Amino acid sequence: MYAQFFGLKQEPFSIAPDPRYLFMSERHREALAHLLYGVGGGGGFVLLTGEIGAGKTTVCRAFLEQIPKRCNVAYIFNPKLTVPELLKSVCDEFHIPYPDHGPGLTTVKDYLDPLNAFLLRTHAVGQNNVLIIDEAQNLSADVLEQLRLLTNLETSERKLLQIVLIGQPELRDMLARPELEQLAQRVIARFHLGALTESETAHYIRHRLTVAGLNRPLPFNRAARKRVHELSRGVPRRINLLCDRALLGAYAEGKAQVDTEIVDKAASEVFGKPKLAQVARSRLGLAAVGTAGLVVGALLFAALSGLWGGAGHPASGVAGAKPAALAVSASASSVMAAASAASGAASGAAVAASAAASAPTLAFLSAADLKSSFKTLVHDERDAWRELAPAWKLDLPDPDPCAAAQRQQVQCFKSGSTLALIRQLGRPGIVTLQGENEKPVYAVLVGLTNQTATLRMGGVTQTVSLVSLAQLWRGDFATFWRAPEGYRNVVADGSAGPVVDGLAARLAKLQGDPAPAPNQRFDAAMHARVFAFQLAQGLKPDGIAGPTTFMQLNRATGVDEPRLLTDPVAN
């Protein structure tokens, strides 16, 4: 309904677990990595728990869409089953035929025998088998014991079935019971998916809007994003419900920006007024017990965050620091006064908004200002490479900078890109901008925040808004990366040699596995490991080790490469 009004292709905050909208916070990356571990693990249980609405099912759906070809998966989403019903469901999911003697006559053994034969047969041809059970906190004790017995199906080398249990926090309590100790001892990996932080909530909102096609300033201002986090407690499903209703409310009022008033109204509709009253009471309680100093500290942090939010680089500069400090001091006095008033919660919120508004903002170049400064930009791509070179400690006297870099085991990378991928790679690089008469000009991107980009142009560093950058940037991105010795092209199925050996060794080290034997080949197993690494790193998962995969592998294994300056505070 409101999508067109905000310039979106679709509504961004559906509560359906759509993998396209999966926000890869560090917690979600680790959660997904645990599921991927289940594909190639040696059997036993993998445990993924999280609060209601934390994104467990969405992570699982993303995993299911990226299953390697040589992996069979059974997915059970309704675990309120008896032991025979569970085994029947497992056989049905794996498409295993079994004898049907009629209601009440088919026994557990009638399901176990064909299941065991299937696991042995698929193991012999190099296939893995994974059983995923969602909402596993609903499993009964006898069903959990049967699952433990299923992990007894094994060869002399490994267990034949990996079981992934996904559930709410009480699942951890269930497995801590004495009668389930044997099962608990077979949990080879466990992870609890917690709520998002305030910063992650802001990134989450921006991410979903971007996926939905947003190409204009964020419709949630800073105060509104903070309020969303407070009311949602950082739980993605609650964030979705609240933001969806807030956008609808802004649309109904004809407002292009969602403010805290709209968020509060939306919260009363989707969560009910008791939720809002609870937040107000907790704030009043803080003041009543004499902890106004904590509120003052929070205000100081908020003001400083507003002051530094756009500074991706020291060269950005800050104006009016002294007035900002005075504003914070005044805000502190207001909060102290409000703490002694009966309406302290509401007053404190108003003062906080006032303090945020009084903090000075940074001035960034507009698209027109940037274009007028093109005389400082580099018009020769080779000069741009040379301007980027010092960060890599490279000497590039050769007329061909990339050839000179390659002799120093550093390669040039050029590709059409997005800001999301550049953020993920996290390294400085060259962006191609549209100059006068459509001629390209080049700038070195050295910093990137949520709202700004810091560019180095002919030795001059300047900060521009992302909106301004988008008006002139062609989408081209280039950078250096340290290639493994002997690297010539992408590493894919059938490849062999020192590069493949090195790739196998680094992946094994990351996963805590023993060092592999020499003379490795890029086979199906390595394809799956590369695929899992790419997915966990937020790259396009294709199982092929190209430049971006090696860039992220360098980052994960501590290879010395320069980093893009970023500001973790959402501005």
Side-chain angles (χ1 to χ4, degrees), residues 35-46 70-72 116 119-120 122-131 150-163 186 188 513 525 528-529:
L35 295 185
L36 290 167
Y37 178 80
V39 176
F45 292 88
V46 172
R70 300 187 66 80
C71 180
N72 304 308
N116 192 29
L119 295 176
L120 286 169
T122 52
H123 171 72
V125 295
Q127 295 180 1
N128 294 328
N129 297 288
V130 179
L131 169 61
L150 285 181
T151 62
N152 287 337
L153 302 175
E154 59 188 359
T155 67
S156 58
E157 300 174 350
R158 59 174 293 163
K159 294 184 180 298
L160 300 179
L161 183 64
Q162 182 81 61
I163 300 177
R186 299 193 183 191
I188 60 175
D513 295 335
R529 288 196 293 273

Side-chain angles (χ1 to χ4, degrees), residues 230-266:
E230 290 176 354
L231 296 171
S232 67
R233 303 193 298 272
V235 177
R237 186 180 298 163
R238 290 173 61 86
I239 295 172
N240 288 349
L241 290 169
L242 183 53
C243 288
D244 180 73
R245 189 60 60 90
L247 287 174
L248 182 61
Y251 165 72
E253 296 182 19
K255 293 183 177 180
Q257 277 279 312
V258 174
D259 54 25
T260 53
E261 182 180 357
I262 292 176
V263 173
D264 285 342
K265 288 180 181 177

Side-chain angles (χ1 to χ4, degrees), residues 483-513:
E485 187 173 357
Y487 178 88
R488 292 291 179 270
N489 207 334
V490 295
V491 182
D493 293 347
S495 301
V499 176
V500 176
D501 286 346
L503 175 63
R506 294 169 77 184
L507 289 173
K509 184 177 180 180
L510 282 177
Q511 296 167 0
D513 295 335

Side-chain angles (χ1 to χ4, degrees), residues 17 141 164 208 220 239 255 403 406 411 414 464 485 507 550 563:
V164 179
R208 292 192 71 106
F220 289 82
I239 295 172
K255 293 183 177 180
Q406 190 168 2
Q411 296 211 13
K414 303 179 186 179
V464 301
E485 187 173 357
L507 289 173
F550 278 107
R563 307 304 305 156

Side-chain angles (χ1 to χ4, degrees), residues 202-400:
H203 285 289
Y204 176 86
I205 293 171
R206 183 183 302 278
H207 167 77
R208 292 192 71 106
L209 286 165
T210 301
V211 173
L214 184 71
N215 58 4
R216 61 178 69 172
L218 201 67
F220 289 82
N221 62 33
R222 185 186 183 91
R225 297 197 299 268
K226 182 176 181 179
R227 190 71 170 139
V228 166
H229 176 73
E230 290 176 354
L231 296 171
S232 67
R233 303 193 298 272
V235 177
R237 186 180 298 163
R238 290 173 61 86
I239 295 172
N240 288 349
L241 290 169
L242 183 53
C243 288
D244 180 73
R245 189 60 60 90
L247 287 174
L248 182 61
Y251 165 72
E253 296 182 19
K255 293 183 177 180
Q257 277 279 312
V258 174
D259 54 25
T260 53
E261 182 180 357
I262 292 176
V263 173
D264 285 342
K265 288 180 181 177
S268 68
E269 294 175 8
V270 295
F271 301 145
K273 291 184 178 181
K275 298 295 183 182
L276 290 174
Q278 184 179 2
V279 173
R281 284 196 301 271
S282 66
R283 289 179 173 176
L284 183 59
L286 283 174
V289 297
T291 56
L294 294 176
V295 181
V296 174
L299 279 172
L300 177 61
F301 176 78
L304 292 177
S305 296
L307 201 61
W308 293 328
H313 192 274
S316 300
V318 176
K322 199 167 186 178
L326 293 175
V328 172
S329 177
S331 300
S333 300
S334 300
V335 172
M336 294 295 288
S340 62
S343 59
S347 300
V351 171
S354 174
S358 64
T361 57
L362 297 174
F364 303 117
L365 289 181
S366 66
D369 293 334
L370 178 60
K371 201 159 188 175
S372 68
S373 68
F374 276 171
K375 59 184 178 181
T376 65
L377 290 175
V378 176
H379 294 266
D380 189 327
E381 185 180 357
R382 293 172 298 181
D383 291 335
W385 285 111
R386 294 189 182 97
E387 187 156 3
L388 180 61
W392 292 79
K393 302 175 183 177
L394 294 175
D395 182 21
L396 305 179
D398 193 287
D400 185 346

